[in-house]
Amino acid sequence: MADYYARKLSARRLQLVYDIAPARVKRYLQAEIDFVLARIAAWHVVLELGCGYGRVLQPLAQKAKSVCGIDTSRESLQLAR
Protein backbone atom coordinates (compact mmCIF):
# COMPACT_ATOMS: atom_id res chain seq x y z
CA MET A 1 0.00 0.00 0.00
CA ALA A 2 2.84 2.42 0.76
CA ASP A 3 4.06 1.94 -2.81
CA TYR A 4 0.61 2.91 -4.10
CA TYR A 5 0.70 6.17 -2.15
CA ALA A 6 4.19 6.94 -3.38
CA ARG A 7 3.22 6.33 -7.03
CA LYS A 8 -0.34 7.64 -7.17
CA LEU A 9 -1.15 9.86 -4.20
CA SER A 10 2.09 11.51 -3.20
CA ALA A 11 1.64 14.80 -1.37
CA ARG A 12 3.30 16.86 -4.08
CA ARG A 13 1.29 15.16 -6.81
CA LEU A 14 -1.96 15.75 -4.93
CA GLN A 15 -1.03 19.39 -4.32
CA LEU A 16 -0.31 19.82 -8.03
CA VAL A 17 -3.71 18.36 -8.91
CA TYR A 18 -5.40 20.91 -6.67
CA ASP A 19 -3.21 23.74 -7.99
CA ILE A 20 -4.11 23.08 -11.63
CA ALA A 21 -7.75 22.21 -10.99
CA PRO A 22 -10.39 23.96 -13.09
CA ALA A 23 -12.12 26.99 -11.56
CA ARG A 24 -15.26 24.95 -10.80
CA VAL A 25 -13.25 22.43 -8.77
CA LYS A 26 -11.37 25.20 -6.96
CA ARG A 27 -14.71 26.76 -5.98
CA TYR A 28 -15.83 23.40 -4.59
CA LEU A 29 -12.58 23.01 -2.63
CA GLN A 30 -12.95 26.51 -1.20
CA ALA A 31 -16.58 25.82 -0.31
CA GLU A 32 -15.39 22.80 1.67
CA ILE A 33 -13.06 25.03 3.70
CA ASP A 34 -15.69 27.75 4.10
CA PHE A 35 -18.18 25.16 5.40
CA VAL A 36 -15.80 24.10 8.16
CA LEU A 37 -14.70 27.65 8.97
CA ALA A 38 -18.32 28.68 9.51
CA ARG A 39 -18.67 25.99 12.16
CA ILE A 40 -15.61 26.54 14.31
CA ALA A 41 -14.87 29.21 16.86
CA ALA A 42 -11.64 30.74 18.10
CA TRP A 43 -11.69 28.51 21.19
CA HIS A 44 -12.07 25.21 19.25
CA VAL A 45 -9.37 22.58 19.02
CA VAL A 46 -9.48 20.83 15.62
CA LEU A 47 -8.27 17.34 14.71
CA GLU A 48 -8.24 16.41 11.03
CA LEU A 49 -7.82 12.75 10.18
CA GLY A 50 -6.26 12.20 6.78
CA CYS A 51 -5.02 15.78 6.58
CA GLY A 52 -2.77 15.17 3.58
CA TYR A 53 -0.47 18.12 2.96
CA GLY A 54 -2.57 20.45 5.12
CA ARG A 55 -4.77 22.10 2.50
CA VAL A 56 -7.70 22.40 4.92
CA LEU A 57 -5.72 22.77 8.14
CA GLN A 58 -3.88 25.90 7.04
CA PRO A 59 -6.95 28.16 6.90
CA LEU A 60 -8.41 26.53 10.02
CA ALA A 61 -5.25 27.37 11.94
CA GLN A 62 -6.04 31.05 11.36
CA LYS A 63 -9.32 30.71 13.25
CA ALA A 64 -9.17 27.82 15.73
CA LYS A 65 -7.30 27.82 19.01
CA SER A 66 -5.28 24.81 17.90
CA VAL A 67 -5.19 22.41 14.96
CA CYS A 68 -3.62 18.99 14.56
CA GLY A 69 -3.49 16.82 11.48
CA ILE A 70 -2.91 13.09 11.23
CA ASP A 71 -2.03 11.24 8.05
CA THR A 72 -0.47 7.92 7.07
CA SER A 73 1.86 9.56 4.56
CA ARG A 74 5.12 10.85 5.99
CA GLU A 75 5.67 12.96 2.86
CA SER A 76 2.28 14.61 3.29
CA LEU A 77 3.00 15.45 6.91
CA GLN A 78 6.40 16.89 6.01
CA LEU A 79 4.80 19.08 3.35
CA ALA A 80 2.04 20.14 5.76
CA ARG A 81 4.57 21.25 8.30
Side-chain angles (χ1 to χ4, degrees):
M1 182 178 305
D3 187 45
Y4 175 81
Y5 280 105
R7 287 184 295 110
K8 301 287 186 181
L9 295 175
S10 73
R12 296 202 186 282
R13 176 175 261 184
L14 187 57
Q15 185 178 29
L16 177 62
V17 168
Y18 288 141
D19 288 347
I20 64 171
R24 181 174 178 227
V25 172
K26 287 185 178 187
R27 285 191 305 272
Y28 172 83
L29 295 171
Q30 185 59 49
E32 176 184 33
I33 293 169
D34 294 343
F35 178 85
V36 177
L37 283 172
R39 285 155 179 80
I40 63 171
W43 53 272
H44 283 151
V45 175
V46 176
L47 171 63
E48 182 182 5
L49 304 176
C51 69
Y53 65 89
R55 179 184 67 84
V56 176
L57 279 180
Q58 290 175 346
L60 299 185
Q62 303 300 313
K63 186 171 183 183
K65 177 181 179 182
S66 177
V67 298
C68 180
I70 296 174
D71 201 281
T72 59
S73 167
R74 180 170 285 163
E75 180 191 4
S76 291
L77 293 172
Q78 289 171 342
L79 190 56
R81 203 175 255 176

